[in-house]
Amino acid sequence: MINKTAIITAASQGIGEACARKLSALDYNLILMSRSKKIKSLADELGCISIQGSVTENNDLKEVVQLALDTFGGLNSVVNNTGHAPKGDLLKITDHEWYASIDILLMNVIRISRFIVPAMKENGGSIVNISAFGAENPSLDFPTSSVVRSALTSYTKLFSRRHGQYNIRMNNLLPGFVDSYSVTDEIRNNIALEREASVNEIANGVMFLLSEESKYITGQNLVMDGSLVVKK
């Protein structure tokens, strides 16, 4: 069996790092990207390739896809992980903060898709976007994330309709609260499972969406929030 090749963005910590470790254990050829210098240490540990870059920079995304093609001759999987958007009172969030949220939560996927599709047209592939629970269950605590990620849901459906003919799949994974950040007991009390997810549990969901077991799933949101109740 020929090893599959995957790109993971924002891979230096948290969910991105957990995905990198999972895919490395499955013998994927990996290209990891992050703005942080820590990405090189992780890549050295896992024996894979890294590139320091940002999901908001078109040239960085073009470079990471080209690096996969030049090094491994193809691309099978992409995990579009990203950073966090600005928060604040709904009417006090500035235009700049709204545009910054669109840039980091929606345009990151749109930009890299332009480079992924030509690379995957011949043999197909799977793309997983790390979204958030607010895409389906909007929260005033995360207003920009909720609004922009609901737009990502629409983009994912349109992408899947357009490129399904090439067996290129795109899905979103929507975590709730995760143990890579501090979570209060008040929040846990609003989760049916009464705890936050581990980053490894979220990575397991990503592995499923990348795998052959999900080959008839595209254009969908997979919610992994422990049945979270959003009260505002």
Side-chain angles (χ1 to χ4, degrees):
M1 177 181 174
I2 299 174
N3 290 1
K4 289 187 174 183
T5 298
I7 291 170
I8 306 174
T9 63
S12 65
Q13 62 184 358
I15 292 171
E17 178 186 352
C19 290
R21 294 186 180 281
K22 292 276 186 182
L23 288 179
S24 177
L26 294 173
D27 293 325
Y28 270 69
N29 301 317
L30 285 181
I31 302 94
L32 309 181
M33 189 175 88
S34 173
R35 291 183 300 176
S36 171
K37 294 180 180 179
K38 293 189 298 182
I39 197 64
K40 187 178 185 305
S41 298
L42 178 61
D44 288 345
E45 177 189 342
L46 298 180
C48 63
I49 297 172
S50 67
I51 179 173
Q52 195 171 346
S54 171
V55 298
T56 63
E57 295 295 330
N58 194 66
N59 287 339
D60 290 348
L61 295 172
K62 182 178 181 179
E63 184 178 354
V64 75
V65 173
Q66 192 60 50
L67 182 59
L69 299 178
D70 291 344
T71 307
F72 300 113
L75 180 61
N76 309 99
S77 307
V78 176
V79 180
N80 284 318
N81 191 35
T82 188
H84 294 272
K87 296 184 288 186
D89 182 78
L90 191 61
L91 296 183
K92 292 181 180 179
I93 299 168
T94 66
D95 286 9
H96 174 77
E97 288 171 324
W98 279 111
Y99 285 127
S101 302
I102 293 168
D103 204 30
I104 198 171
L105 301 181
L106 176 62
M107 291 306 301
N108 63 315
V109 175
I110 293 173
R111 289 187 189 102
I112 199 170
S113 295
R114 296 174 182 140
F115 307 119
I116 292 170
V117 169
M120 288 185 172
K121 264 189 175 181
E122 184 175 350
N123 297 310
S126 179
I127 303 160
V128 179
N129 307 318
I130 306 301
S131 183
F133 70 91
E136 290 196 355
N137 200 356
S139 168
L140 283 170
D141 289 330
F142 304 97
T144 61
S145 174
S146 297
V147 171
V148 178
R149 281 173 159 147
S150 66
L152 179 61
T153 295
S154 294
Y155 178 82
T156 298
K157 290 183 179 298
L158 293 175
F159 179 97
S160 298
R161 293 172 192 169
R162 177 66 181 85
H163 300 293
Q165 61 185 308
Y166 306 113
N167 197 32
I168 303 174
R169 300 186 296 114
M170 179 182 281
N171 293 287
N172 299 321
L173 190 140
L174 281 57
F177 290 90
V178 184
D179 66 1
S180 52
Y181 292 89
S182 60
V183 178
T184 66
D185 287 337
E186 181 181 3
I187 290 172
R188 293 187 186 100
N189 290 337
N190 292 325
I191 301 171
L193 295 180
E194 299 182 343
R195 64 174 179 86
E196 63 271 40
S198 71
V199 291
N200 286 326
E201 287 173 316
I202 301 302
N204 286 338
V206 174
M207 298 308 102
F208 168 68
L209 291 175
L210 293 178
S211 73
E212 288 297 306
E213 281 71 23
S214 67
K215 64 183 179 181
Y216 200 64
I217 300 174
T218 191
Q220 304 303 311
N221 286 341
L222 174 58
V223 182
M224 295 184 66
D225 67 355
S227 192
L228 171 68
V229 177
V230 177
K231 293 186 176 180
K232 65 174 183 175

